[in-house]
Amino acid sequence: MSFGFAARFSPGFALVFSLCAATSAAAADVSPWDNDIRSTVRLIGAGAVNESGGRTLRGGVEIKMQPGWKTYWRYPGDSGVPPAFDFAASDNVKSVTVLWPAPVRFADGSGQSIGYKEAVIFPLRVVPHDLSKPATLRLKLDYAVCEKLCVPAQAKAELTLSGAAGSQEAALKAAEARVPKPGILGEGAGLMLRKAWRDNASAKPRVIVEVSAPPGADVDLFAEGPTPDWALPLPEPVAGAGPGAKRFAFELDGLPPGVKPDKAAIKLTAIAGKGTVQEAVEAVFRLD
């Protein structure tokens, strides 16, 4: 009886099975979208890599927003809320490292902010407890999206990372390429944080930074304090740079109450591009 059923319906059954298998394979490296009226979030997965002496799984948190809407970088600037990634409910996950693609500067109602317009993928590096088994990510994300006003948002997503390459490889590689490369102040080629110094001669103490960049590139600079409660102003272009360089300055303002800047480690992120980000580098400057 069962043989006759299979023989009679085998062409249609094979087609349905083939379509289901293809859909399942296509969806194996993405989670469902978690939507609201302004934005949507999902997890994506890609092929594993060998880093830091062991096998590391690759994934990403993808956020898409309605046209005109934005979300924020780890340091949001004058306003905004940085995304908060919670992977505590994951299975077979020892650690998750979130990588931050180079952001852009944009004006909002209360000044200048730093973040991403309309879409972004935050690459992930996932280390399992058991390297021989898949890892299941369970994400709880608190973030904000902004047009004229900023609105808090939440999302949840779940995805099992097997370490196999799939449909999201190109998208994740593009996001990884936008992550600033670690550098050392005064060392490098191409885009380089050439030098930085503390200027106490102005009305308010400030930091001046010179950035070397490829000819014709649009250059921007961001500065972060050693802890999240620092609220440094966004660096602004100033005159005086030498050939092949751009100079920026920012006041030593927005420090936590009672904190002195002496010996503080300031992270500088330089970005060079023409339209889209082409290169980004970061280095630490200590306020000696």
Side-chain angles (χ1 to χ4, degrees):
M1 184 71 174
S2 60
F3 176 80
F5 179 88
R8 183 177 178 181
F9 292 97
S10 57
F13 178 81
L15 176 60
V16 171
F17 179 82
S18 175
L19 290 173
C20 290
T23 302
S24 175
D29 53 1
V30 296
S31 73
W33 290 102
D34 189 359
N35 303 298
D36 67 18
I37 61 174
R38 303 172 189 89
S39 59
T40 186
V41 175
R42 70 177 179 178
L43 287 166
I44 65 174
V49 291
N50 288 317
E51 290 181 347
S52 303
R55 184 172 182 263
T56 301
L57 300 176
R58 293 165 60 236
V61 178
E62 183 172 7
I63 304 176
K64 289 187 176 180
M65 293 155 278
Q66 292 290 343
W69 288 80
K70 304 171 284 284
T71 194
Y72 294 96
W73 192 44
R74 63 189 179 214
Y75 176 54
D78 294 334
S79 63
V81 179
F85 303 89
D86 182 354
F87 293 99
S90 301
D91 286 336
N92 191 32
V93 172
K94 182 178 180 181
S95 66
V96 180
T97 301
V98 179
L99 305 179
W100 297 81
V104 297
R105 179 190 304 231
F106 48 79
D108 58 24
S110 57
Q112 296 184 90
S113 296
I114 312 168
Y116 309 95
K117 296 180 179 180
E118 299 186 1
V120 61
I121 295 175
F122 297 96
L124 305 175
R125 290 293 186 268
V126 181
V127 178
H129 286 290
D130 187 340
L131 298 177
S132 66
K133 297 179 180 179
T136 299
L137 289 179
R138 294 189 180 92
L139 166 69
K140 179 182 177 183
L141 176 64
D142 290 289
Y143 64 113
V145 290
C146 179
E147 190 188 35
K148 294 179 181 178
L149 296 175
C150 292
V151 180
Q154 289 187 329
K156 292 183 178 180
E158 178 177 332
L159 180 66
T160 297
L161 301 179
S162 66
S167 65
Q168 300 303 305
E169 198 69 39
L172 190 54
K173 282 184 177 179
E176 291 167 341
R178 291 184 58 195
V179 175
K181 297 178 176 60
I184 297 175
L185 199 67
E187 297 183 8
L191 179 64
M192 179 183 72
L193 288 153
R194 179 185 288 184
K195 57 183 178 179
W197 66 95
R198 185 171 168 174
D199 174 22
N200 293 319
S202 55
K204 285 187 177 181
R206 62 179 186 166
V207 173
I208 300 176
V209 183
E210 281 197 2
V211 179
S212 298
D218 294 328
V219 180
D220 208 347
L221 180 75
F222 304 118
E224 302 168 80
T227 56
D229 52 352
W230 284 54
L232 294 173
L234 273 71
E236 297 291 347
V238 295
K246 301 287 180 69
R247 183 176 288 188
F248 296 84
F250 60 94
E251 293 180 348
L252 284 173
D253 198 6
L255 280 62
V259 171
K260 294 184 178 180
D262 302 336
K263 299 184 179 180
I266 305 297
K267 181 180 283 188
L268 302 170
T269 301
I271 300 167
K274 198 74 172 178
T276 59
V277 172
Q278 295 177 342
E279 192 175 1
V281 64
E282 61 187 24
V284 171
F285 167 59
R286 191 167 294 277
L287 290 168
D288 292 334

